[in-house]
Amino acid sequence: MQRTPARGARSGIVRALRRAQFFLVILIACSDQRPRQRGPVARIEGATLRAGYGALVTLDGSGSSDPDGDPLTYRWRFVSGPDVSRSIRHANRPRMTFTTRPASDLFPLRPLFGPLPIPRWGEATYEIELAVSDGASEDRTLARVRSAAVTGGWPRAETGLDLTVYCGDREDTPARWRLAETPAASKALVLEPERCLARVRADRNGHYLLREETSGRSIRFWYGDWVGHEECGRPECHPVEHDGWKNTKHASVFERGIEGGLGAAYGPECAVCHVLGSDPATRSIGFRRAAEVAGWEQPTLPRAGAADEMPAGVRLWANVQCEQCHGPGRFWTGLSAEPCAQCHDAPPRYLTVSQWRRSPMSVPPAGLAAARADCASCHTAHGAIGRIRGRPMAAPKEEPVAQAVTCPVCHEPHAERGRGQLRLSGLVDFSGRSVAAGQSAVCFACHGQWDGGDPAKVPHAPQAYVLLGAARGSRPPHAGVTHLCVGCHMFHEPGKTDAGGHTFSLASGREPLDGACRGCHPDARGLRIRGGLAERQLAEETDRLMRRVRAAVVALEVRGCDGSPAVDLAAKQGRMIFLDALGRTVMGCGGEPLAAPAGSDRVLRAATLLAIVSLDGSEGAHNAPFARALLREGMALLGGPAQAP
């Protein structure tokens, strides 16, 4: 018979088993207390770099480490910016290289010697990621490499930033740059001195003289700090301009933005254009440093009252100020579009300047056109501003060449005179009457310079005369368009960025900008456009009068001093000029264009009417009935049928 242990013996056995179980658990737990695996730390030496354009960049990740001493693997990859992924070399090594994009890949380079203007989208910031792994875990970090800082192309440089200079030729053209003068104790450097596109890294405030030895040309520039708009507005400086600026939208744009006036998405990334001194590479006092000192941060999203909370020392640098257009410290004065391009040339969001670059307005005058006063008054920036103001304006001394019809021609930077800070808007006096031109008032300064009052003068730009001309029994068809020229030529049609807007063109490639017409012509579709609408009948009548004028000129039997016969007439320099068979001006013996003989008045008048229709350039779009009336009047003067057969 099996004997059962006594109660005391059983409890002892239980206690013994429990003690054994406890020690077993402790033993198992202790056996699992192995050291934890610690992850690697990715590190890039000099993770924020200034590199230039078309430059070989080396990024060094050899400072990455693993606390456990485990071997590391490396993986570099391109993250954002202009695509350089194909230029990456040694992507799986501690050190990698890539080549930044040439400047000409990013924005147009004008062939001008001097400081290179760099628009917002041309600064080219590259983000390159390094991932390091010990096989069990991974760590990542980013390097930011920037080719250049945004600049208006002035001979000015902000403390801490490089000045990019350009020899005016191809980027790979050999050059020899040398600093000929620097401030005392300066250790300034010229980076890539043997390239056409070089950089100056200055280290002390003051004047520098940079010389390009191959061409013998030089650049004198100032390196310094921002001073802020209050300094500009001092009574002995620029108080009138400062008071005018305070009424513009530029003077409040940042404050309006952080309070929601520019939309719900307004965030810190917008500050780069809307404050003075935001560049992280700068050593100059400005918005960024003032905000750091004050401990103030821009709200991530707009909210009411945010501007009132901004400390006074930070507000001093807020908004678009004088120096964003004139350069830091020592004012630069000029009429280039490039200061505006710093922010308004950032496709696809901001198209203003990129569209203007497509237009004829952006083509700078050359040679005689820039030198002659009658040409310069409309085809140069200073001449056109003088015409709008009603008094001549001298070309800025700091600009080596005359500027094209740039932003400040139409827009007044120091005053708010209407939508878009236009220099002129509203009513204009034209042909003895007041015309409601609206935003097109500035257009009339050059495109409305002739009103038909002087029959002996040939107009160079008769667009307003044709647009508002009244043929017998008809009203000008486009005289009621809101804002006249602007209503059509600056019409914005979604999806067409190469027409309308600041291109002033009514055609997107071969496709017409039909949307500009549909407001009044719902069925307008597929209209033939080449600078405007064209009618086949008008083209035929133009050609008919042209042949009749040539026949009439030949019948005059006039010859130049060299015996060459005149076969045609053309409008040049405000008058009709006889041409020979090769299209050359027929010259008299006094060295002047041949004078019109007696009895040629009707021929000259008919040629003038033809020139008006041709120089209008719209092929009938402005005012087809009036254009046909002019052509028929010309035919009648030469004895042809006034009405087309």
Side-chain angles (χ1 to χ4, degrees):
M1 178 178 178
Q2 186 176 1
R3 299 179 62 183
T4 304
R7 181 184 300 270
R10 288 200 303 269
S11 61
I13 293 170
V14 169
R15 286 196 296 271
L17 288 173
R18 286 177 177 172
R19 282 198 298 270
Q21 185 180 21
F22 171 78
F23 284 114
L24 180 62
V25 169
I26 294 296
L27 181 63
I28 293 172
C30 290
S31 67
D32 284 345
Q33 290 295 314
R34 294 174 296 181
R36 289 186 178 180
Q37 180 74 30
R38 292 172 293 178
V41 178
R43 182 175 180 273
I44 302 173
E45 185 175 351
T48 301
L49 301 173
R50 293 171 284 172
Y53 296 100
L56 182 67
V57 177
T58 299
L59 294 179
D60 187 355
S62 60
S64 303
S65 60
D66 185 85
D68 300 322
D70 294 335
L72 297 176
T73 59
Y74 299 81
R75 186 176 75 255
W76 299 88
R77 73 180 184 93
F78 166 74
V79 176
S80 67
D83 190 1
V84 292
S85 53
R86 291 187 178 182
S87 73
I88 290 178
R89 298 292 181 270
H90 314 304
N92 297 312
R93 298 183 185 179
R95 293 181 180 86
M96 64 85 75
T97 65
F98 75 95
T99 303
T100 61
R101 296 280 289 273
S104 55
D105 281 2
L106 304 171
F107 57 94
L109 295 178
R110 288 182 60 192
L112 294 177
F113 177 86
L116 182 69
I118 300 170
R120 179 66 50 191
W121 55 292
E123 64 179 346
T125 298
Y126 304 89
E127 288 191 332
I128 306 294
E129 182 187 76
L130 169 63
V132 295
S133 173
D134 62 0
S137 59
E138 183 178 82
D139 189 34
R140 301 181 183 188
T141 189
L142 281 176
R144 290 179 175 84
V145 179
R146 187 171 65 171
S147 287
V150 174
T151 171
W154 334 274
R156 307 286 187 269
E158 179 188 352
T159 304
L161 303 183
D162 296 342
L163 178 72
T164 304
V165 294
Y166 181 43
C167 77
D169 208 329
R170 290 171 52 93
E171 286 185 69
D172 55 359
T173 301
R176 289 189 295 132
W177 297 96
R178 179 178 68 86
L179 279 168
E181 296 178 18
T182 63
S186 171
K187 297 181 180 179
L189 300 172
V190 181
L191 306 174
E192 300 99 28
E194 297 181 353
R195 296 183 58 196
C196 178
L197 208 58
R199 291 177 293 146
V200 181
R201 184 161 293 172
D203 59 345
R204 291 183 178 271
N205 290 4
H207 288 284
Y208 292 76
L209 180 65
L210 178 67
R211 182 166 288 128
E212 201 287 297
E213 303 286 1
T214 305
S215 64
R217 295 177 292 182
S218 60
I219 304 167
R220 185 175 293 277
F221 68 94
W222 167 264
Y223 189 74
D225 297 331
W226 303 116
V227 299
H229 70 90
E230 290 185 353
E231 285 291 304
C232 308
R234 288 160 49 187
E236 67 272 25
C237 296
H238 310 281
V240 175
E241 291 83 358
H242 185 256
D243 286 345
W245 163 82
K246 286 192 293 187
N247 294 319
T248 69
K249 292 181 179 179
H250 277 154
S252 62
V253 62
F254 179 73
E255 294 171 83
R256 288 184 288 114
I258 61 176
E259 295 212 339
L262 300 180
Y266 191 92
E269 68 280 0
C270 302
V272 295
C273 275
H274 294 163
V275 299
L276 181 65
S278 64
D279 197 301
T282 182
R283 298 197 305 271
S284 173
I285 185 63
F287 183 87
R288 184 182 61 83
R289 288 185 62 189
E292 289 175 354
V293 170
W296 183 84
E297 292 186 3
Q298 178 184 342
T300 305
L301 293 174
R303 56 182 173 78
D308 295 333
E309 298 169 4
M310 188 165 34
V314 179
R315 183 179 284 108
L316 176 65
W317 309 100
N319 306 310
V320 176
Q321 304 190 14
C322 319
E323 292 167 284
Q324 272 137 310
C325 297
H326 292 283
R330 297 291 189 272
F331 265 29
W332 169 90
T333 54
L335 298 172
S336 166
E338 302 304 339
C340 307
Q342 293 177 100
C343 290
H344 294 280
D345 192 6
R349 185 169 184 178
Y350 298 111
L351 297 168
T352 305
V353 178
S354 63
Q355 287 186 331
W356 169 82
R357 293 189 198 278
R358 296 172 176 265
S359 78
M361 302 286 191
S362 69
V363 180
L368 187 62
R372 281 183 43 196
D374 55 339
C375 295
S377 67
C378 277
H379 292 281
T380 65
H382 67 277
I385 292 174
R387 178 179 284 275
I388 292 171
R389 287 178 173 176
R391 61 184 187 277
M393 177 183 180
K397 294 180 180 179
E398 291 197 81
E399 288 184 320
V401 297
Q403 296 293 317
V405 182
T406 56
C407 317
V409 170
C410 299
H411 304 277
E412 168 57 75
H414 302 125
E416 185 70 59
R417 294 177 177 168
R419 182 179 174 86
Q421 295 180 218
L422 290 169
R423 290 185 181 272
L424 287 178
S425 62
L427 298 176
V428 295
D429 292 327
F430 183 76
S431 192
R433 68 186 191 274
S434 184
V435 175
Q439 295 172 21
S440 296
V442 288
C443 309
F444 274 64
C446 285
H447 295 280
Q449 59 182 280
W450 186 76
D451 60 7
D454 185 358
K457 185 179 178 182
V458 179
H460 179 62
Q463 286 82 12
Y465 176 70
V466 174
L467 178 69
L468 300 175
R472 183 178 300 175
S474 68
R475 181 178 181 274
H478 291 127
V481 173
T482 304
H483 299 299
L484 295 179
C485 323
V486 168
C488 293
H489 287 274
M490 297 191 71
F491 180 85
H492 172 67
E493 187 166 327
K496 293 184 179 179
T497 60
D498 59 344
H502 280 80
T503 69
F504 310 109
S505 172
L506 284 173
S508 172
R510 295 185 177 182
E511 292 295 319
L513 198 66
D514 292 339
C517 306
R518 289 195 196 110
C520 296
H521 308 282
D523 296 328
R525 188 176 297 278
L527 299 166
R528 188 169 72 88
I529 294 181
R530 192 178 66 199
L533 292 170
E535 292 187 355
R536 184 178 299 276
Q537 184 181 10
L538 181 69
E540 292 173 352
E541 291 188 32
T542 302
D543 185 63
R544 189 177 300 112
L545 179 56
M546 185 183 301
R547 293 197 303 270
R548 184 59 64 95
V549 167
R550 289 173 178 171
V553 170
V554 171
L556 291 175
E557 296 183 348
V558 293
R559 293 179 178 273
C561 193
D562 61 357
S564 57
V567 299
D568 202 357
L569 279 163
K572 289 186 178 181
Q573 301 175 24
R575 56 175 290 192
M576 298 308 300
I577 301 294
F578 287 105
L579 303 179
D580 65 16
L582 297 177
R584 300 172 302 190
T585 300
V586 177
M587 305 298 292
C589 294
E592 296 292 329
L594 184 67
S600 61
D601 291 350
R602 296 171 70 86
V603 178
L604 292 175
R605 177 60 181 166
T608 298
L609 295 171
L610 175 63
I612 291 170
V613 175
S614 299
L615 292 171
D616 168 58
S618 74
E619 298 181 342
H622 285 153
N623 190 343
F626 184 66
R628 284 199 296 269
L630 295 179
L631 295 173
R632 291 168 184 175
E633 180 185 346
M635 288 295 290
L637 286 168
L638 298 181
Q643 188 72 27

